[in-house]
Amino acid sequence: MSLVTMRHGAHKLSDLQRWESESYQRDTGFVSDYGADVLSWLEPLAGERILDLGCGDGVLTHKIAKSGADVVGADSSSSFIKTAKASGLDARVLDAQNLPFHREFDAVFSNAALHWMIHAEEVIRSVKRALKPNGRFVGEFGGFGNVAAIITAMRAVGEELGGDPNRIGPWFFPTVDQYSAMLEQQGFEVENIVTFYRPTPLPTGMRAWLKVMSGAFFDQYGDRADVALDKVEAVLKGSLCDHSGQWFADYVRLRFRARLDD
Ligand code: BEZ
């Protein structure tokens, strides 16, 4: 769920990552299943106004709405927002760095989206503006070391085939200390923050994950994209595919709950 269109190397992020709601749901629908866990850190209440930042197709946004909260979904992808709106949500195409809200929300929630927003300070500042005094910011995203094996394999194959490494990501995977400091700098009190390893089964395999999450890297090889995919899979097989043929992504999560001081 990309929410920024900033430059990364020679490329705009919007050129690098395109979301297609249908393939996302098929190949990575587990993202919202895992997200249900972090909702216990949000504890949404009936009557609260909550912003779901990077809502994607809105599966988790509906779960928040079940609490009776008044939820707005935001994402930079019009494909996702179209799907979310069709499911009945109040969902809007927005830039996380420039949210058009001022002291409006009791909470801002985000699952598996903040790692796409490489200008984290600006996003946190924008979230702060959107929150009411004492509002909370709760989320989960990739932490330091996230998909390290996958990135290393893509870099190795890129070196072998001759490719632009700036087409991997860009992603932001901070440490607990780094992200805590960023939140505190903007006036948030960090109530809880943890990082943990969560090897995550990929229901449709590594190849499908690579195409959905890092399509731009493979697209640069044109009709040799399959060769690059074969090579990345071959490098990863020993460490991320188990004896039964089940593939895993080497996910590291960072989960946090922070509150505005005033
Ligand atoms: C993640 O959820 O950790 C992730 C998703 C896509 C690319 C990289 C990481």
Side-chain angles (χ1 to χ4, degrees), residues 19 31 112 115-116 141-142 146-147 171 173 209 213 251-253:
W19 295 110
V31 171
H115 46 245
W116 293 101
F141 64 111
N146 191 41
V147 292
W171 298 313
F173 301 139
W209 187 96
M213 298 302 205
Y251 279 173
V252 173
R253 303 287 91 176

Side-chain angles (χ1 to χ4, degrees), residues 10-50:
H11 313 288
K12 273 168 75 189
L13 179 54
S14 55
D15 296 336
L16 290 173
Q17 184 61 30
R18 300 227 173 274
W19 295 110
E20 202 265 290
S21 188
E22 202 176 309
S23 57
Y24 185 83
Q25 184 52 38
R26 183 189 60 232
D27 298 320
T28 59
F30 60 84
V31 171
S32 52
D33 298 341
Y34 283 104
D37 211 28
V38 66
L39 282 182
S40 64
W41 282 38
L42 175 65
E43 296 182 286
L45 296 174
E48 282 192 320
R49 191 156 161 76
I50 297 179

Side-chain angles (χ1 to χ4, degrees), residues 104-155:
E104 234 180 88
F105 291 94
D106 297 286
V108 175
F109 173 78
S110 185
N111 178 56
L114 294 170
H115 46 245
W116 293 101
M117 306 176 204
I118 55 173
H119 296 274
E121 269 129 356
E122 280 148 54
V123 173
I124 294 169
R125 199 172 297 127
S126 178
V127 165
K128 180 183 174 179
R129 273 195 305 269
L131 282 170
K132 292 177 187 170
N134 211 36
R136 60 201 191 279
F137 183 23
V138 179
E140 184 177 298
F141 64 111
F144 186 70
N146 191 41
V147 292
I150 297 175
I151 291 171
T152 306
M154 283 196 283
R155 283 191 174 278

